[in-house]
Amino acid sequence: MTNPDLAEHLRWAESLGVTGFSRDPKWRQRAAETGEAPVERSVTAVPPTTDNRLPVTLDAIREDLGDCARCKLHALGRKQIVFGSGNPNADLMFVGEAPGADEDEQGVPFIGRAGQLLTKIIEAIGLTRDDVYIANVIKCRPPGNRNPEPDEIAECEPFLVRQIETVKPKVIVALGTFAAHALLRTDAPISKLRGTFHEYHGAKLLPTFHPAYLLRSPERKRDVWDDMKKVRAVLTGEA
Ligand code: URA
């Protein structure tokens, strides 16, 4: 990292409420491992595909999705399906709501303003976007960024569940009200849900505020930082 990059990184960390940096060798060792050594996963532990012979891969799920027309969003102006991106063996997965205009344009989740903030949140715990897996509950942009509707969720969510079961993250961070409600089948306010782990398909799921909300309410960044420290502790085996 160059000096100006480092200075910007420190300013960002300060805005999150970070008051110090960990010298814990366990965390450093993990960063080195995730940066350099591929994580080994047993293919035999992966559930079988529909033909019962091949291991499930994200590519196979993407292929099943095809040029999806299962819900009305395909005819309401979506430019492309935004499937997901990142490390297919990630220990940490983020789940958002649905693609916005930038994501619809480029086919990659979380690359607009909210996405840039998410990138900083990921970096604040010593990881990069390439270390984690990022997806949304809904894979097509709702027109005008309206909230996804129940029939759209019903068609799309099974593909997210398959992605989760294939990546097998240790921790899932549900970003914002919509993702938390859809995954946890609750309508409790995100302010009550955030910061607590829930069991979800073999992973620990932690809801937190959506980065788009943080852009409007930066005073809540400290809460997200508190949540991310809990995530980091689980990933390093300290919690
Ligand atoms: N907001 C989301 O929930 N998902 C994205 O991919 C982008 C913005």
Side-chain angles (χ1 to χ4, degrees), residues 82 96-100 103 108-111 114 136 210:
V82 180
E97 176 174 335
E103 292 77 20
V108 179
F110 281 100
I111 38 118
N136 285 302
H210 194 286

Side-chain angles (χ1 to χ4, degrees), residues 26-90:
K26 258 199 243 158
W27 181 247
R28 286 164 180 266
Q29 185 188 340
R30 185 191 179 279
E33 279 166 9
T34 52
E36 286 157 28
V39 179
E40 297 223 349
R41 297 266 168 134
S42 158
V43 287
T44 52
V46 173
T49 52
T50 41
D51 80 358
N52 283 330
R53 282 173 301 156
L54 299 171
V56 174
T57 63
L58 290 171
D59 284 347
I61 299 167
R62 178 66 190 86
E63 213 168 291
D64 281 356
L65 192 56
D67 187 21
C68 187
R70 291 171 181 82
C71 85
K72 57 191 178 305
L73 288 178
H74 79 283
L76 295 178
R78 76 142 192 240
K79 290 200 174 123
Q80 57 187 309
I81 292 168
V82 180
F83 181 67
S85 72
N87 178 355
N89 293 317

Side-chain angles (χ1 to χ4, degrees), residues 164-207:
I164 291 169
E165 288 175 348
T166 301
V167 174
K168 297 189 192 308
K170 286 190 182 130
V171 178
I172 300 169
V173 175
L175 296 166
T177 301
F178 179 84
H181 286 184
L183 296 177
L184 294 175
R185 306 279 192 266
T186 175
D187 57 6
I190 185 71
S191 53
K192 291 269 179 322
L193 293 170
R194 64 151 280 270
T196 305
F197 285 103
H198 305 252
E199 280 307 308
Y200 184 86
H201 290 263
K204 285 178 185 293
L205 185 148
L206 181 118

